[in-house]
Amino acid sequence: AQSVTQPDIHITVSEGASLELRCNYSYGATPYLFWYVQSPGQGLQLLLKYFSGDTLVQGIKGFEAEFKRSQSSFNLRKPSVHWSDAAEYFCAVGARNNDMRFGAGTRLTVKP
Amino acid sequence: GAVVSQHPSWVICKSGTSVKIECRSLDFQATTMFWYRQFPKQSLMLMATSNEGSKATYEQGVEKDKFLINHASLTLSTLTVTSAHPEDSSFYICSARSRGGGETQYFGPGTRLLVL
């Protein structure tokens, strides 16, 4: 079965600074990888996904993620963080015709 | 596109009563819907997977008689928390996967349940 690890529980960055959220997965075959964002009391919004092809994936709100098979990683990046990016971020791994497993989440705080 | 709604968005009920939560895919047909539970400051825990027209598949440790799931149509799934108790208080989130839409799940806004 697939699993996901997000090593950082909480990250604080200054507004305008760059951001990288880490995600490592475990799965025997080629995974389907996702990043979702959750604002307090809200559902999850899909930021981006990777199924195949180009390993650098562009998403909404200026986010991107890079799939590195050799490192079993799918880290999320943004070059310049905005205060509105403060939220909880979840990495998830899915498998074909199977369910999705979520990481524990990383809470992002943005300092003014 | 790919909008999922949930109703109600929050509910307060007395212990022992049953609560029904609806999950609807508004602009696509959802062959599979998922129900998750999320405790404060924690990740999502998958409760069950339901395919239209068939019985739901429950994760280990989830009581199927307590959390009744019905997926009667391609756009609607319901979760009924029967005889709710305070420990059932949580944030319940559904997601839907579309027919021909690959493996992406689209999430509803969640339902906050408080059992007194």
Side-chain angles (χ1 to χ4, degrees):
Chain A
Q2 62 270 37
S3 66
V4 181
T5 301
Q6 290 180 248
D8 306 305
I9 296 174
H10 183 206
I11 283 183
T12 299
V13 299
S14 297
E15 189 168 15
S18 64
L19 170 71
E20 181 169 31
L21 302 182
R22 295 184 292 166
C23 172
N24 294 96
Y25 70 90
S26 175
Y27 185 58
T30 300
Y32 299 124
L33 296 161
F34 307 82
W35 274 100
Y36 288 88
V37 60
Q38 184 182 35
S39 296
Q42 303 291 318
L44 275 68
Q45 181 182 23
L46 178 67
L47 286 176
L48 46 78
K49 60 188 177 184
Y50 171 79
F51 287 178
S52 65
D54 192 345
T55 56
L56 184 62
V57 181
Q58 301 298 320
I60 62 171
K61 303 184 178 184
F63 286 94
E64 66 177 27
E66 186 170 12
F67 170 57
K68 292 186 178 179
R69 184 187 299 276
S70 61
Q71 299 177 20
S72 297
S73 69
F74 189 58
N75 295 348
L76 181 71
R77 301 193 294 252
K78 185 169 184 176
S80 178
V81 171
H82 188 262
W83 64 266
S84 60
D85 293 324
E88 189 87 19
Y89 291 80
F90 292 97
C91 181
V93 59
R96 186 168 180 80
N97 294 324
N98 209 334
D99 55 61
M100 186 182 294
R101 300 293 169 177
F102 286 83
T106 297
R107 183 162 58 93
L108 174 65
T109 297
V110 180
K111 292 191 303 184
Chain B
V3 178
V4 177
S5 71
Q6 277 184 246
H7 178 80
S9 56
W10 60 271
V11 58
I12 301 173
C13 69
K14 292 182 179 180
S15 186
T17 60
S18 293
V19 175
K20 179 185 284 189
I21 303 171
E22 292 186 349
C23 177
R24 292 181 185 273
S25 56
L26 298 185
D27 51 2
F28 65 99
Q29 292 184 326
T31 50
T32 306
M33 286 184 167
F34 304 84
W35 286 96
Y36 296 85
R37 185 173 179 176
Q38 186 180 31
F39 292 103
K41 300 188 186 301
Q42 294 190 26
S43 188
L44 282 74
M45 299 299 296
L46 180 66
M47 298 174 66
T49 302
S50 74
N51 292 296
E52 185 264 338
S54 61
K55 290 184 178 180
T57 302
Y58 290 80
E59 294 297 299
Q60 191 172 11
V62 178
E63 299 176 59
K64 60 180 67 176
D65 293 331
K66 180 166 188 62
F67 298 99
L68 301 178
I69 292 173
N70 183 279
H71 192 164
S73 76
L74 284 172
T75 60
L76 174 65
S77 177
T78 60
L79 167 68
T80 301
V81 183
T82 62
S83 187
H85 290 282
E87 58 265 29
D88 299 323
S89 299
S90 190
F91 193 52
Y92 292 88
I93 305 178
C94 74
S95 71
R97 190 166 65 195
S98 69
R99 170 186 292 170
E103 303 303 323
T104 303
Q105 292 182 28
Y106 298 95
F107 285 81
T111 297
R112 187 163 301 284
L113 171 64
L114 177 61
V115 185
L116 302 176

mmCIF file of all heavy atoms in Angstrom, chain A residues 29-68:
data_model
loop_
_atom_site.group_PDB
_atom_site.id
_atom_site.type_symbol
_atom_site.label_atom_id
_atom_site.label_comp_id
_atom_site.label_asym_id
_atom_site.label_seq_id
_atom_site.Cartn_x
_atom_site.Cartn_y
_atom_site.Cartn_z
ATOM 1 N N ALA A 29 4.898 0.992 -7.411
ATOM 2 C CA ALA A 29 4.792 1.281 -8.838
ATOM 3 C C ALA A 29 4.824 2.796 -9.030
ATOM 4 O O ALA A 29 5.094 3.546 -8.104
ATOM 5 C CB ALA A 29 3.504 0.692 -9.381
ATOM 6 N N THR A 30 4.555 3.230 -10.233
ATOM 7 C CA THR A 30 4.515 4.673 -10.493
ATOM 8 C C THR A 30 3.304 5.262 -9.782
ATOM 9 O O THR A 30 2.179 4.843 -10.025
ATOM 10 C CB THR A 30 4.416 4.945 -12.000
ATOM 11 O OG1 THR A 30 5.556 4.387 -12.644
ATOM 12 C CG2 THR A 30 4.363 6.446 -12.245
ATOM 13 N N PRO A 31 3.548 6.221 -8.924
ATOM 14 C CA PRO A 31 2.433 6.776 -8.149
ATOM 15 C C PRO A 31 1.738 7.917 -8.861
ATOM 16 O O PRO A 31 2.283 8.529 -9.771
ATOM 17 C CB PRO A 31 3.142 7.296 -6.898
ATOM 18 C CG PRO A 31 4.466 7.771 -7.433
ATOM 19 C CD PRO A 31 4.837 6.819 -8.553
ATOM 20 N N TYR A 32 0.544 8.181 -8.428
ATOM 21 C CA TYR A 32 -0.116 9.436 -8.778
ATOM 22 C C TYR A 32 0.068 10.345 -7.566
ATOM 23 O O TYR A 32 -0.242 9.963 -6.447
ATOM 24 C CB TYR A 32 -1.603 9.216 -9.044
ATOM 25 C CG TYR A 32 -1.889 8.277 -10.190
ATOM 26 C CD1 TYR A 32 -2.674 7.143 -10.017
ATOM 27 C CD2 TYR A 32 -1.375 8.525 -11.464
ATOM 28 C CE1 TYR A 32 -2.934 6.283 -11.060
ATOM 29 C CE2 TYR A 32 -1.634 7.668 -12.513
ATOM 30 C CZ TYR A 32 -2.416 6.552 -12.311
ATOM 31 O OH TYR A 32 -2.670 5.706 -13.348
ATOM 32 N N LEU A 33 0.569 11.529 -7.772
ATOM 33 C CA LEU A 33 0.933 12.412 -6.668
ATOM 34 C C LEU A 33 0.159 13.721 -6.739
ATOM 35 O O LEU A 33 -0.051 14.266 -7.825
ATOM 36 C CB LEU A 33 2.435 12.694 -6.697
ATOM 37 C CG LEU A 33 3.311 11.458 -6.468
ATOM 38 C CD1 LEU A 33 4.726 11.698 -6.954
ATOM 39 C CD2 LEU A 33 3.308 11.067 -4.995
ATOM 40 N N PHE A 34 -0.231 14.206 -5.585
ATOM 41 C CA PHE A 34 -1.074 15.388 -5.508
ATOM 42 C C PHE A 34 -0.593 16.290 -4.375
ATOM 43 O O PHE A 34 -0.054 15.835 -3.377
ATOM 44 C CB PHE A 34 -2.530 15.005 -5.202
ATOM 45 C CG PHE A 34 -3.115 13.973 -6.120
ATOM 46 C CD1 PHE A 34 -2.886 12.625 -5.923
ATOM 47 C CD2 PHE A 34 -3.922 14.363 -7.185
ATOM 48 C CE1 PHE A 34 -3.428 11.663 -6.763
ATOM 49 C CE2 PHE A 34 -4.474 13.417 -8.033
ATOM 50 C CZ PHE A 34 -4.236 12.070 -7.820
ATOM 51 N N TRP A 35 -0.844 17.578 -4.546
ATOM 52 C CA TRP A 35 -0.750 18.537 -3.457
ATOM 53 C C TRP A 35 -2.091 19.248 -3.348
ATOM 54 O O TRP A 35 -2.624 19.752 -4.334
ATOM 55 C CB TRP A 35 0.349 19.569 -3.694
ATOM 56 C CG TRP A 35 1.706 19.135 -3.242
ATOM 57 C CD1 TRP A 35 2.721 18.644 -4.000
ATOM 58 C CD2 TRP A 35 2.219 19.183 -1.908
ATOM 59 N NE1 TRP A 35 3.820 18.361 -3.228
ATOM 60 C CE2 TRP A 35 3.538 18.691 -1.931
ATOM 61 C CE3 TRP A 35 1.694 19.596 -0.671
ATOM 62 C CZ2 TRP A 35 4.344 18.600 -0.803
ATOM 63 C CZ3 TRP A 35 2.482 19.505 0.461
ATOM 64 C CH2 TRP A 35 3.797 19.011 0.387
ATOM 65 N N TYR A 36 -2.606 19.274 -2.105
ATOM 66 C CA TYR A 36 -3.839 19.979 -1.814
ATOM 67 C C TYR A 36 -3.552 21.042 -0.761
ATOM 68 O O TYR A 36 -2.668 20.887 0.073
ATOM 69 C CB TYR A 36 -4.903 19.036 -1.255
ATOM 70 C CG TYR A 36 -5.506 18.073 -2.260
ATOM 71 C CD1 TYR A 36 -4.926 16.824 -2.508
ATOM 72 C CD2 TYR A 36 -6.676 18.397 -2.943
ATOM 73 C CE1 TYR A 36 -5.490 15.945 -3.407
ATOM 74 C CE2 TYR A 36 -7.253 17.511 -3.844
ATOM 75 C CZ TYR A 36 -6.657 16.290 -4.069
ATOM 76 O OH TYR A 36 -7.219 15.412 -4.960
ATOM 77 N N VAL A 37 -4.383 22.096 -0.763
ATOM 78 C CA VAL A 37 -4.286 23.134 0.260
ATOM 79 C C VAL A 37 -5.631 23.232 0.976
ATOM 80 O O VAL A 37 -6.690 23.099 0.349
ATOM 81 C CB VAL A 37 -3.869 24.492 -0.347
ATOM 82 C CG1 VAL A 37 -4.871 24.983 -1.376
ATOM 83 C CG2 VAL A 37 -3.685 25.537 0.746
ATOM 84 N N GLN A 38 -5.568 23.427 2.288
ATOM 85 C CA GLN A 38 -6.776 23.538 3.088
ATOM 86 C C GLN A 38 -6.696 24.775 3.974
ATOM 87 O O GLN A 38 -5.798 24.882 4.808
ATOM 88 C CB GLN A 38 -6.973 22.291 3.952
ATOM 89 C CG GLN A 38 -8.270 22.293 4.751
ATOM 90 C CD GLN A 38 -8.421 21.058 5.629
ATOM 91 O OE1 GLN A 38 -7.448 20.543 6.166
ATOM 92 N NE2 GLN A 38 -9.648 20.584 5.784
ATOM 93 N N SER A 39 -7.643 25.674 3.796
ATOM 94 C CA SER A 39 -7.759 26.815 4.699
ATOM 95 C C SER A 39 -8.597 26.382 5.899
ATOM 96 O O SER A 39 -9.371 25.436 5.792
ATOM 97 C CB SER A 39 -8.406 27.994 3.973
ATOM 98 O OG SER A 39 -7.570 28.414 2.915
ATOM 99 N N PRO A 40 -8.475 27.069 7.035
ATOM 100 C CA PRO A 40 -9.194 26.651 8.247
ATOM 101 C C PRO A 40 -10.685 26.477 8.020
ATOM 102 O O PRO A 40 -11.358 27.355 7.475
ATOM 103 C CB PRO A 40 -8.902 27.797 9.219
ATOM 104 C CG PRO A 40 -7.588 28.335 8.776
ATOM 105 C CD PRO A 40 -7.603 28.229 7.272
ATOM 106 N N GLY A 41 -11.206 25.325 8.432
ATOM 107 C CA GLY A 41 -12.629 25.068 8.331
ATOM 108 C C GLY A 41 -13.133 24.840 6.925
ATOM 109 O O GLY A 41 -14.347 24.822 6.695
ATOM 110 N N GLN A 42 -12.233 24.634 6.001
ATOM 111 C CA GLN A 42 -12.618 24.458 4.599
ATOM 112 C C GLN A 42 -12.253 23.075 4.099
ATOM 113 O O GLN A 42 -11.515 22.326 4.762
ATOM 114 C CB GLN A 42 -11.907 25.506 3.723
ATOM 115 C CG GLN A 42 -12.164 26.934 4.133
ATOM 116 C CD GLN A 42 -13.581 27.359 3.873
ATOM 117 O OE1 GLN A 42 -14.166 27.062 2.836
ATOM 118 N NE2 GLN A 42 -14.186 28.054 4.831
ATOM 119 N N GLY A 43 -12.736 22.758 2.922
ATOM 120 C CA GLY A 43 -12.345 21.518 2.276
ATOM 121 C C GLY A 43 -10.977 21.659 1.646
ATOM 122 O O GLY A 43 -10.241 22.617 1.908
ATOM 123 N N LEU A 44 -10.612 20.713 0.821
ATOM 124 C CA LEU A 44 -9.303 20.708 0.179
ATOM 125 C C LEU A 44 -9.395 21.196 -1.254
ATOM 126 O O LEU A 44 -10.301 20.796 -1.992
ATOM 127 C CB LEU A 44 -8.711 19.301 0.192
ATOM 128 C CG LEU A 44 -7.961 18.878 1.444
ATOM 129 C CD1 LEU A 44 -8.894 18.722 2.630
ATOM 130 C CD2 LEU A 44 -7.195 17.588 1.199
ATOM 131 N N GLN A 45 -8.442 22.011 -1.635
ATOM 132 C CA GLN A 45 -8.370 22.492 -3.008
ATOM 133 C C GLN A 45 -7.135 21.892 -3.667
ATOM 134 O O GLN A 45 -6.037 21.936 -3.109
ATOM 135 C CB GLN A 45 -8.301 24.023 -3.036
ATOM 136 C CG GLN A 45 -8.253 24.596 -4.441
ATOM 137 C CD GLN A 45 -8.140 26.107 -4.450
ATOM 138 O OE1 GLN A 45 -7.688 26.727 -3.487
ATOM 139 N NE2 GLN A 45 -8.560 26.719 -5.541
ATOM 140 N N LEU A 46 -7.319 21.355 -4.851
ATOM 141 C CA LEU A 46 -6.208 20.757 -5.581
ATOM 142 C C LEU A 46 -5.284 21.846 -6.115
ATOM 143 O O LEU A 46 -5.724 22.746 -6.833
ATOM 144 C CB LEU A 46 -6.739 19.907 -6.737
ATOM 145 C CG LEU A 46 -5.703 19.240 -7.627
ATOM 146 C CD1 LEU A 46 -4.929 18.177 -6.851
ATOM 147 C CD2 LEU A 46 -6.378 18.614 -8.856
ATOM 148 N N LEU A 47 -4.001 21.754 -5.769
ATOM 149 C CA LEU A 47 -3.007 22.699 -6.285
ATOM 150 C C LEU A 47 -2.390 22.189 -7.582
ATOM 151 O O LEU A 47 -2.234 22.943 -8.538
ATOM 152 C CB LEU A 47 -1.885 22.908 -5.267
ATOM 153 C CG LEU A 47 -2.199 23.744 -4.028
ATOM 154 C CD1 LEU A 47 -0.989 23.748 -3.097
ATOM 155 C CD2 LEU A 47 -2.585 25.163 -4.407
ATOM 156 N N LEU A 48 -2.012 20.925 -7.569
ATOM 157 C CA LEU A 48 -1.406 20.334 -8.757
ATOM 158 C C LEU A 48 -1.351 18.826 -8.584
ATOM 159 O O LEU A 48 -1.584 18.309 -7.494
ATOM 160 C CB LEU A 48 0.002 20.893 -8.992
ATOM 161 C CG LEU A 48 0.961 20.988 -7.808
ATOM 162 C CD1 LEU A 48 1.569 19.646 -7.482
ATOM 163 C CD2 LEU A 48 2.067 22.007 -8.082
ATOM 164 N N LYS A 49 -1.041 18.150 -9.683
ATOM 165 C CA LYS A 49 -0.972 16.695 -9.657
ATOM 166 C C LYS A 49 0.058 16.207 -10.662
ATOM 167 O O LYS A 49 0.359 16.905 -11.643
ATOM 168 C CB LYS A 49 -2.338 16.089 -9.979
ATOM 169 C CG LYS A 49 -2.860 16.473 -11.352
ATOM 170 C CD LYS A 49 -4.285 16.013 -11.541
ATOM 171 C CE LYS A 49 -4.820 16.468 -12.889
ATOM 172 N NZ LYS A 49 -6.246 16.122 -13.082
ATOM 173 N N TYR A 50 0.591 15.034 -10.411
ATOM 174 C CA TYR A 50 1.511 14.397 -11.323
ATOM 175 C C TYR A 50 1.034 12.978 -11.584
ATOM 176 O O TYR A 50 0.840 12.185 -10.657
ATOM 177 C CB TYR A 50 2.936 14.364 -10.759
ATOM 178 C CG TYR A 50 3.858 13.514 -11.589
ATOM 179 C CD1 TYR A 50 4.405 14.009 -12.774
ATOM 180 C CD2 TYR A 50 4.148 12.196 -11.231
ATOM 181 C CE1 TYR A 50 5.228 13.220 -13.556
ATOM 182 C CE2 TYR A 50 4.970 11.407 -12.013
ATOM 183 C CZ TYR A 50 5.498 11.925 -13.167
ATOM 184 O OH TYR A 50 6.311 11.135 -13.951
ATOM 185 N N PHE A 51 0.881 12.662 -12.868
ATOM 186 C CA PHE A 51 0.546 11.299 -13.246
ATOM 187 C C PHE A 51 1.686 10.683 -14.055
ATOM 188 O O PHE A 51 2.063 9.536 -13.841
ATOM 189 C CB PHE A 51 -0.742 11.265 -14.079
ATOM 190 C CG PHE A 51 -1.998 11.514 -13.278
ATOM 191 C CD1 PHE A 51 -3.233 11.558 -13.900
ATOM 192 C CD2 PHE A 51 -1.964 11.712 -11.909
ATOM 193 C CE1 PHE A 51 -4.402 11.777 -13.174
ATOM 194 C CE2 PHE A 51 -3.118 11.939 -11.172
ATOM 195 C CZ PHE A 51 -4.338 11.966 -11.819
ATOM 196 N N SER A 52 2.199 11.439 -15.008
ATOM 197 C CA SER A 52 3.283 10.948 -15.863
ATOM 198 C C SER A 52 3.817 12.131 -16.642
ATOM 199 O O SER A 52 3.306 13.247 -16.553
ATOM 200 C CB SER A 52 2.789 9.857 -16.816
ATOM 201 O OG SER A 52 1.850 10.400 -17.722
ATOM 202 N N GLY A 53 4.869 11.884 -17.415
ATOM 203 C CA GLY A 53 5.398 12.924 -18.285
ATOM 204 C C GLY A 53 6.392 13.828 -17.585
ATOM 205 O O GLY A 53 7.174 13.382 -16.742
ATOM 206 N N ASP A 54 6.348 15.097 -17.927
ATOM 207 C CA ASP A 54 7.280 16.078 -17.392
ATOM 208 C C ASP A 54 7.263 16.039 -15.860
ATOM 209 O O ASP A 54 6.201 16.157 -15.235
ATOM 210 C CB ASP A 54 6.900 17.476 -17.882
ATOM 211 C CG ASP A 54 7.990 18.506 -17.618
ATOM 212 O OD1 ASP A 54 8.906 18.218 -16.828
ATOM 213 O OD2 ASP A 54 7.922 19.597 -18.204
ATOM 214 N N THR A 55 8.437 15.908 -15.281
ATOM 215 C CA THR A 55 8.500 15.751 -13.821
ATOM 216 C C THR A 55 8.328 17.063 -13.074
ATOM 217 O O THR A 55 8.171 17.050 -11.861
ATOM 218 C CB THR A 55 9.830 15.105 -13.417
ATOM 219 O OG1 THR A 55 10.907 15.906 -13.936
ATOM 220 C CG2 THR A 55 9.941 13.688 -13.974
ATOM 221 N N LEU A 56 8.385 18.173 -13.773
ATOM 222 C CA LEU A 56 8.128 19.471 -13.136
ATOM 223 C C LEU A 56 6.711 19.877 -13.490
ATOM 224 O O LEU A 56 6.391 20.095 -14.658
ATOM 225 C CB LEU A 56 9.138 20.509 -13.623
ATOM 226 C CG LEU A 56 9.042 21.888 -12.954
ATOM 227 C CD1 LEU A 56 9.300 21.782 -11.458
ATOM 228 C CD2 LEU A 56 10.023 22.852 -13.603
ATOM 229 N N VAL A 57 5.888 19.988 -12.469
ATOM 230 C CA VAL A 57 4.465 20.220 -12.678
ATOM 231 C C VAL A 57 4.093 21.628 -12.205
ATOM 232 O O VAL A 57 4.475 22.025 -11.105
ATOM 233 C CB VAL A 57 3.628 19.184 -11.897
ATOM 234 C CG1 VAL A 57 2.157 19.414 -12.128
ATOM 235 C CG2 VAL A 57 4.031 17.773 -12.286
ATOM 236 N N GLN A 58 3.377 22.325 -13.033
ATOM 237 C CA GLN A 58 2.896 23.655 -12.649
ATOM 238 C C GLN A 58 1.471 23.559 -12.127
ATOM 239 O O GLN A 58 0.660 22.798 -12.659
ATOM 240 C CB GLN A 58 2.935 24.591 -13.860
ATOM 241 C CG GLN A 58 4.312 24.752 -14.480
ATOM 242 C CD GLN A 58 5.328 25.362 -13.524
ATOM 243 O OE1 GLN A 58 4.998 26.283 -12.767
ATOM 244 N NE2 GLN A 58 6.553 24.841 -13.531
ATOM 245 N N GLY A 59 1.189 24.318 -11.089
ATOM 246 C CA GLY A 59 -0.146 24.289 -10.531
ATOM 247 C C GLY A 59 -0.767 25.672 -10.464
ATOM 248 O O GLY A 59 -0.269 26.623 -11.072
ATOM 249 N N ILE A 60 -1.811 25.778 -9.684
ATOM 250 C CA ILE A 60 -2.481 27.062 -9.527
ATOM 251 C C ILE A 60 -1.765 27.898 -8.473
ATOM 252 O O ILE A 60 -0.935 27.389 -7.717
ATOM 253 C CB ILE A 60 -3.962 26.877 -9.136
ATOM 254 C CG1 ILE A 60 -4.082 26.172 -7.780
ATOM 255 C CG2 ILE A 60 -4.707 26.106 -10.212
ATOM 256 C CD1 ILE A 60 -5.487 26.140 -7.231
ATOM 257 N N LYS A 61 -2.069 29.176 -8.452
ATOM 258 C CA LYS A 61 -1.554 30.116 -7.446
ATOM 259 C C LYS A 61 -0.034 30.220 -7.451
ATOM 260 O O LYS A 61 0.565 30.563 -6.432
ATOM 261 C CB LYS A 61 -2.032 29.724 -6.037
ATOM 262 C CG LYS A 61 -3.533 29.627 -5.891
ATOM 263 C CD LYS A 61 -3.932 29.340 -4.455
ATOM 264 C CE LYS A 61 -5.443 29.298 -4.322
ATOM 265 N NZ LYS A 61 -5.875 29.124 -2.908
ATOM 266 N N GLY A 62 0.596 29.904 -8.559
ATOM 267 C CA GLY A 62 2.046 30.053 -8.666
ATOM 268 C C GLY A 62 2.863 28.928 -8.075
ATOM 269 O O GLY A 62 4.089 29.039 -7.950
ATOM 270 N N PHE A 63 2.223 27.841 -7.690
ATOM 271 C CA PHE A 63 2.929 26.697 -7.120
ATOM 272 C C PHE A 63 3.430 25.752 -8.220
ATOM 273 O O PHE A 63 2.838 25.660 -9.290
ATOM 274 C CB PHE A 63 2.023 25.915 -6.176
ATOM 275 C CG PHE A 63 1.788 26.596 -4.863
ATOM 276 C CD1 PHE A 63 0.689 27.406 -4.673
ATOM 277 C CD2 PHE A 63 2.677 26.408 -3.814
ATOM 278 C CE1 PHE A 63 0.466 28.048 -3.469
ATOM 279 C CE2 PHE A 63 2.464 27.037 -2.598
ATOM 280 C CZ PHE A 63 1.354 27.859 -2.422
ATOM 281 N N GLU A 64 4.519 25.067 -7.907
ATOM 282 C CA GLU A 64 5.020 24.011 -8.759
ATOM 283 C C GLU A 64 5.566 22.894 -7.878
ATOM 284 O O GLU A 64 5.831 23.096 -6.686
ATOM 285 C CB GLU A 64 6.126 24.512 -9.703
ATOM 286 C CG GLU A 64 7.396 24.931 -8.995
ATOM 287 C CD GLU A 64 8.489 25.351 -9.972
ATOM 288 O OE1 GLU A 64 8.186 25.800 -11.091
ATOM 289 O OE2 GLU A 64 9.670 25.227 -9.580
ATOM 290 N N ALA A 65 5.698 21.720 -8.452
ATOM 291 C CA ALA A 65 6.258 20.595 -7.718
ATOM 292 C C ALA A 65 7.087 19.758 -8.673
ATOM 293 O O ALA A 65 6.810 19.713 -9.879
ATOM 294 C CB ALA A 65 5.149 19.747 -7.097
ATOM 295 N N GLU A 66 8.089 19.109 -8.141
ATOM 296 C CA GLU A 66 8.969 18.299 -8.962
ATOM 297 C C GLU A 66 8.979 16.867 -8.460
ATOM 298 O O GLU A 66 9.237 16.604 -7.276
ATOM 299 C CB GLU A 66 10.395 18.846 -8.968
ATOM 300 C CG GLU A 66 11.320 18.116 -9.929
ATOM 301 C CD GLU A 66 12.653 18.791 -10.109
ATOM 302 O OE1 GLU A 66 12.976 19.713 -9.334
ATOM 303 O OE2 GLU A 66 13.395 18.391 -11.032
ATOM 304 N N PHE A 67 8.705 15.948 -9.339
ATOM 305 C CA PHE A 67 8.731 14.524 -9.035
ATOM 306 C C PHE A 67 10.150 14.018 -9.242
ATOM 307 O O PHE A 67 10.701 14.144 -10.331
ATOM 308 C CB PHE A 67 7.759 13.771 -9.946
ATOM 309 C CG PHE A 67 7.864 12.277 -9.880
ATOM 310 C CD1 PHE A 67 7.712 11.609 -8.674
ATOM 311 C CD2 PHE A 67 8.113 11.525 -11.027
ATOM 312 C CE1 PHE A 67 7.794 10.228 -8.601
ATOM 313 C CE2 PHE A 67 8.200 10.139 -10.967
ATOM 314 C CZ PHE A 67 8.044 9.495 -9.758
ATOM 315 N N LYS A 68 10.718 13.449 -8.196
ATOM 316 C CA LYS A 68 12.056 12.859 -8.288
ATOM 317 C C LYS A 68 11.951 11.397 -7.867
ATOM 318 O O LYS A 68 11.910 11.079 -6.677
ATOM 319 C CB LYS A 68 13.041 13.610 -7.392
ATOM 320 C CG LYS A 68 13.324 15.028 -7.864
ATOM 321 C CD LYS A 68 14.420 15.683 -7.020
ATOM 322 C CE LYS A 68 14.732 17.081 -7.548
ATOM 323 N NZ LYS A 68 15.787 17.761 -6.738
#
